Amino acid sequence: MKTDILIRNAAQMATCAGCDRPRRGKEMSYDIIMEDGWIAVAAGKIMGIGRGDIPGEIEVDEDTLVIDASGKTVLPGFVDPHTHLVHGGSREKELALKLEGVPYLEILKRGGGILSTVRATRAASEEELLEKARKSLDIMLLHGTTTVEAKSGYGLNLEDELKCLRVAETLNRQHPVDIVSTFLGAHAVPEEYRDKKEEYIDFLIQEVMPLVKRLGLAEFCDVFCEKGVFSVEESRKILTRAREMGYKLKIHADEIETLGGAELAGELRTVSADHLLAMSGKGLKKMKEGGVIAVLLPGTSFNLNVGKYARARDIIDAGLAVALATDYNPGSCPTENIQLILSLACLKMKMTPEEVVIAATINSAHAIDRGKEIGSLEVGKKADIVVLDIPNIEYLPYHFGINHVDKVIKDGKLVVDEQRLVYRDTR
Ligand code: IZC
Ligand code: ZN
C-alpha cells in the first residue's frame, strides 16, 4: 500500500503498545520506548512501525509526506478522558473569593460555581456555544490532544442539555478532534429544583436520560457524587438506571469529601472513577476488584489550591490503572493543556514520565472505551500521532507550562504543523 505519511529518525518513540487492556500498576512503566523509530501511515491508519532502516515494502513516492523527526519524540495523540468542554461564560470573577479561601462547594451553595455557568450556558445560543467550544478544541489539538471526552451538565433542563450535547455532536463531525459524549445531568441541582432534588432525579431518569439515549447523543452517563450535590444512594440510583438504558458509566468520586464514591464505582464496575483525592482504603480495594480505571485530575487540585493531590503512587502500587485528564472546565480547571497536567502529575503526584505518558494515551483511551482504536502506536490503529520537539520523554514533564508539540497527525492527516493549525475546516 502507498504510504501517505512516513515519520522517520525519531530520537524516541513511545509506542504505548503491547497490552490490549488498560495497563495496571507496574505495567504502566514497561517497554514503551523505541529509539530511532519510524512509523508509516496509509488511509488514516498505522500500517508499519519499527526502528532503524525502513523496510522495502513501505512504498514511498513523491506524494508521501516524509517527516524527519531527528532529535524529536513521537507519541500517540493524547486522549483527554474528562472535560466539561461545552459551556457558556467564564468564572474569573470567582477568583477573588477563591483567594479569600471560600471553598468550592460553598461558592456553589451560594448559587455561584456550576450554577453560574448554568445561567451563562442557558443564555447562550447553540451557535455561540459551538464557536466557544471550537476554540477550545483548537487549543487542545495544538497541544497534541486528538480525542476528548465531553460532558454535558450546564443545561440541567431538557432543552439546554440537548443543546449542549448537539454542540458536541456537531463538533465531532466538523472538527478533527474526536469527541466522546457523556451525559452529566446530575452535575448539580438546578435553581428551579432547589429543595426538590428527588423530583429532579426523577425528571432526569424518566424524561431526559431516555431521550438523550434515543437520540444517540451520549455514550456515557456520569454523576457528580459529592457532599451537598448527589449522595452515594442517589448516584447509585441514577447510574443503575443509566446502565439499564444502555449507557456506559463514569462517576465523579470522592473529590472533596470521603463519601464512598469509589466504593460505588467498584460495586457498579464503572468504566472509570474520576478525581479520588479523598478516596478511602476500602474504596481503593473495591475499585481494584471492579477493574475501574482511576482518572486523576491534578490540574484541578492545583487550580483549587486545596493543597492535596490524589494518591497516584498508592493507586498504581496497589495495581490499578491510572489515566490522566485535564478536567477542562470554567471553574475548577480552566486549561486545555494536557502537557501541563502531565507535569503536575509527575511533580505533585510522583508519577514517572513513562507512567504519565501511558496514563494520557492508552489508559485514557480505555477510560472512554476506545482502547482498541486509539491510544498506542500499533499497526491497524488510527493514525493519531504527535511529534514533540523534545529529545526524550523525560523532557516532556520536566520543561513545564509550554507547548512541546511540533506536529499533529489526526486520522492520518497532518493537522498541526510547526505549532500551527493546518487542517481544512469542514464547516
Ligand atoms: O464547573 O465547577 N467539579 N464539576 C465538578 C466541575 C468541577 C465543573 C465546574
Ligand atoms: Zn468533572
Side-chain angles (χ1 to χ4, degrees):
M1 198 190 295
K2 203 175 77 56
T3 306
D4 296 327
I5 299 179
L6 176 67
I7 302 172
R8 58 191 307 176
N9 304 326
Q12 283 199 348
M13 191 149 77
T15 61
C16 305
C19 186
D20 60 4
R21 52 167 177 73
R23 287 188 182 229
R24 306 176 192 128
K26 288 196 175 60
E27 295 168 355
M28 289 184 67
S29 35
Y30 289 165
D31 296 336
I32 62 164
I33 305 286
M34 191 186 272
E35 289 185 352
D36 190 18
W38 60 266
I39 182 162
V41 170
K45 296 266 169 64
I46 295 170
M47 61 178 287
I49 183 163
R51 54 188 304 175
D53 295 334
I54 318 285
E57 69 259 27
I58 302 296
E59 290 172 36
V60 176
D61 65 17
E62 67 276 8
D63 294 330
T64 305
L65 173 65
V66 179
I67 295 170
D68 178 14
S70 301
K72 301 199 168 99
T73 294
V74 174
L75 301 187
F78 295 117
V79 179
D80 189 343
H82 183 139
T83 84
H84 301 254
L85 174 71
V86 181
H87 58 262
S90 55
R91 308 224 289 266
E92 71 279 18
K93 301 293 182 212
E94 289 176 4
L95 186 60
L97 283 177
K98 209 154 86 180
L99 296 180
E100 278 168 30
V102 183
Y104 174 83
L105 290 176
E106 175 59 29
I107 296 176
L108 176 61
K109 222 163 145 188
R110 294 182 193 175
I114 297 172
L115 292 175
S116 109
T117 302
V118 169
R119 288 189 289 275
T121 304
R122 288 178 176 179
S125 69
E126 193 160 331
E127 189 58 31
E128 286 164 343
L129 294 175
L130 195 76
E131 290 318 310
K132 181 170 162 61
R134 188 194 306 279
K135 256 193 195 169
S136 283
L137 276 185
D138 278 344
I139 297 170
M140 289 174 177
L141 185 60
L142 282 164
H143 286 83
T145 299
T146 46
T147 301
V148 299
E149 184 256 15
K151 301 175 195 299
S152 71
Y154 295 115
L156 308 188
N157 60 33
L158 185 59
E159 180 192 345
D160 292 301
E161 283 295 294
L162 293 180
K163 177 174 77 178
C164 293
L165 290 164
R166 280 196 306 268
V167 166
E169 184 191 50
T170 304
L171 285 171
N172 186 39
R173 269 187 279 114
Q174 294 182 345
H175 196 278
V177 171
D178 284 323
I179 300 176
V180 173
S181 274
T182 295
F183 177 70
L184 180 60
H187 190 196
V189 179
E191 271 152 341
E192 62 275 19
Y193 279 92
R194 191 179 273 261
D195 303 321
K196 293 189 292 185
K197 190 161 41 157
E198 284 271 310
E199 265 180 56
Y200 181 61
I201 294 171
D202 288 343
F203 163 68
L204 290 179
I205 291 176
Q206 286 160 22
E207 297 184 40
V208 190
M209 284 158 53
L211 183 59
V212 166
K213 196 73 221 161
R214 196 154 1 105
L215 295 171
L217 284 172
E219 181 173 331
F220 283 85
C221 182
D222 190 350
V223 176
F224 187 19
C225 178
E226 186 57 68
K227 191 170 173 195
V229 193
F230 293 93
S231 69
V232 170
E233 267 315 306
E234 290 158 350
S235 303
R236 181 185 285 109
K237 179 173 170 183
I238 296 164
L239 291 175
T240 305
R241 296 302 303 276
R243 169 166 285 153
E244 289 163 9
M245 294 178 208
Y247 288 94
K248 299 166 191 170
L249 307 183
K250 290 185 165 285
I251 181 169
H252 284 65
D254 298 321
E255 176 184 357
I256 301 163
E257 301 276 340
T258 308
L259 220 62
E263 285 89 331
L264 180 63
E267 171 194 323
L268 296 178
R269 297 181 166 264
T270 58
V271 176
S272 74
D274 303 30
H275 286 295
L276 305 170
L277 271 70
M279 170 171 59
S280 70
K282 189 167 160 231
L284 180 65
K285 195 165 155 275
K286 291 273 179 207
M287 291 242 317
K288 186 171 182 189
E289 285 167 13
V292 182
I293 299 174
V295 175
L296 306 184
L297 310 156
T300 308
S301 298
F302 174 74
N303 189 255
L304 288 179
N305 250 333
V306 288
K308 186 174 167 188
Y309 288 80
R311 298 187 335 263
R313 274 275 50 91
D314 291 349
I315 298 173
I316 295 172
D317 295 346
L320 275 79
V322 166
L324 288 164
T326 56
D327 194 17
Y328 169 64
N329 76 73
S332 61
C333 198
T335 184
E336 294 92 343
N337 182 353
I338 190 73
Q339 297 171 52
L340 176 61
I341 304 304
L342 302 194
S343 293
L344 291 171
C346 262
L347 296 168
K348 300 292 187 183
M349 304 199 302
K350 310 266 188 294
M351 289 173 69
T352 66
E354 288 83 0
E355 286 168 345
V356 300
V357 167
I358 287 287
T361 56
I362 188 65
N363 278 9
S364 48
H366 282 289
I368 53 170
D369 198 26
R370 291 291 186 280
K372 289 200 172 23
E373 298 94 51
I374 54 173
S376 60
L377 302 177
E378 290 179 75
V379 171
K381 279 204 166 177
K382 258 191 194 215
D384 291 0
I385 305 167
V386 291
V387 180
L388 302 167
D389 191 9
I390 57 175
N392 52 59
I393 66 162
E394 286 87 351
Y395 198 93
L396 173 59
Y398 152 77
H399 188 160
F400 78 99
I402 66 150
N403 185 7
H404 294 294
V405 164
D406 174 39
K407 295 183 194 339
V408 181
I409 290 149
K410 172 67 193 163
D411 283 321
K413 297 196 178 68
L414 186 69
V415 291
V416 173
D417 191 16
E418 296 178 350
Q419 298 215 336
R420 289 200 325 273
L421 295 167
V422 294
Y423 73 86
R424 270 249 298 293
D425 217 316
T426 56
R427 261 180 290 178

